Structure formats: structure tokens, C-alpha cells
Amino acid sequence: MPAPINLRIRRGTEADLPRVHELIVELAVYERAPDEVTNTLADMRRDGFGLNPIFGFFVAETDEQGILGIALFYTGYSTWKGRMLYLEDLIVTEQARGTGIGRKLFDAVVAEARRTSANRLRWQVLEWNEPAIGFYKKIGANLDPEWHNGTLTVEELRAYRCDPAVEAAVTLG
């Protein structure tokens, strides 16, 4: 099924955030983690459009159907490679999957990486998400089996015991 004829890819705006949040929740349901989304619209407004924006995004939309997908990204830094762009999520609503929208959103992120002189584009994909793995293999991406992801949740961050002198030095700046 081809992408809708009047599909537009554009930078996301603050007004898009309610629909973006809906797509994030849809993705969480698809990834079997519906209760894991704790990010709020207020958080997203602050973090994407506040004094120090830390993420950007592209949307795929049509006049008739509105926003059908997003690609949310942020700048990271590799000690080995320098500036990189990290694709946090590439989401296409279920009814529009397989239409080429994901590829167009991915292309927008690649263009952004080039525009910002990033030396690397990175992302993650769940090992059981065969449609996404197939998509990334089709575009020639390197899916590295050697790396494991490390995470501390907000509860684990609170429970973690820092060296008091180090924490004081960071807190006092």
C-alpha cells in the first residue's frame, strides 16, 4: 500500500504534542508496556519547547487523517565519534504501517543528522519486533548484537547511593 498522496513531513510544533503523546501511548501498548508511559504533555512542552529544548521531532500528516506518525530525536555525544543523533522513537499509527511513512520519517532524521553534522545516527529496536527489524535491515542498517542497554529507573536513581562528596560537588556546581 503506497503512502497517502498528500503526505507531508515537517518539523513538529508544540501544537502537535497532544497527538504525539497519543502515538507514544499507542507505541507503549504495541510494545506490551502500556503502564510505562509516565511522560506528560507538560513534561514534553517543557523539554521540547522550553528554555533549553532537549528533543525535536518530525511528523507525517495528511489533511484528511492528521498526524499518522512521528520520529522523535535528540543530540547525543560519543567519546569516540563526537556528535550523534539518537532516534528515540519512530512511530507510525497501526492503520498506516506498511505505506512508506516510516521510511519518509527515517529519511527526515537522516537529513537532520546530516544538517547538524552528526557523525552517527543511533536507535534501538526490540528483539521481538520483527516488522521493525525487517524495516531497518531493508534500509541497510547495522543492528549490533554485541551491545546491551543499561537503564536506571527513577526509583533506582533515587535508591542509588552516590559518594556523598561527589554528589555534593555536583549539586553545589
Side-chain angles (χ1 to χ4, degrees):
M1 174 182 345
I5 292 172
N6 65 353
L7 182 74
R8 289 181 305 281
I9 305 294
R10 63 169 174 79
R11 287 191 184 276
T13 67
E14 188 172 353
D16 298 324
L17 289 177
R19 178 64 178 140
V20 169
H21 194 269
E22 288 174 4
L23 286 169
I24 291 167
V25 170
E26 182 179 324
L27 177 65
V29 170
Y30 175 77
E31 291 186 348
R32 307 173 190 155
D35 298 327
E36 293 297 316
V37 178
T38 59
N39 203 11
T40 68
L41 282 173
D43 294 335
M44 293 185 78
R45 282 186 183 97
R46 177 196 65 222
D47 297 339
F49 297 93
L51 293 176
N52 297 303
I54 58 173
F55 73 86
F57 61 98
F58 294 103
V59 299
E61 70 179 352
T62 69
D63 291 335
E64 300 79 23
Q65 296 171 288
I67 295 174
L68 298 170
I70 65 160
L72 192 140
F73 59 89
Y74 56 89
T75 301
Y77 196 81
S78 165
T79 56
W80 288 10
K81 302 294 182 186
R83 178 189 293 268
M84 70 173 185
L85 208 61
Y86 190 87
L87 174 57
E88 177 65 22
D89 279 316
L90 175 62
I91 307 168
V92 176
T93 194
E94 189 172 0
Q95 74 268 17
R97 290 182 192 143
T99 64
I101 291 172
R103 176 65 186 256
K104 291 184 181 302
L105 286 165
F106 191 84
D107 289 353
V109 176
V110 168
E112 180 72 4
R114 291 176 181 163
R115 186 188 73 78
T116 60
S117 300
N119 295 314
R120 180 186 286 175
L121 173 60
R122 298 201 79 177
W123 66 92
Q124 298 171 312
V125 60
L126 287 167
E127 64 183 14
W128 58 261
N129 191 343
E130 291 300 326
I133 290 169
F135 169 78
Y136 291 125
K137 285 182 176 178
K138 184 178 175 183
I139 62 172
N142 174 20
L143 301 178
D144 189 341
E146 295 182 17
W147 291 86
H148 293 273
N149 297 306
T151 302
L152 290 176
T153 66
V154 68
E155 295 83 9
E156 292 163 338
L157 284 169
R158 289 180 185 137
Y160 183 87
R161 295 191 180 268
C162 290
D163 177 302
V166 171
E167 187 152 18
V170 170
T171 303
L172 297 176

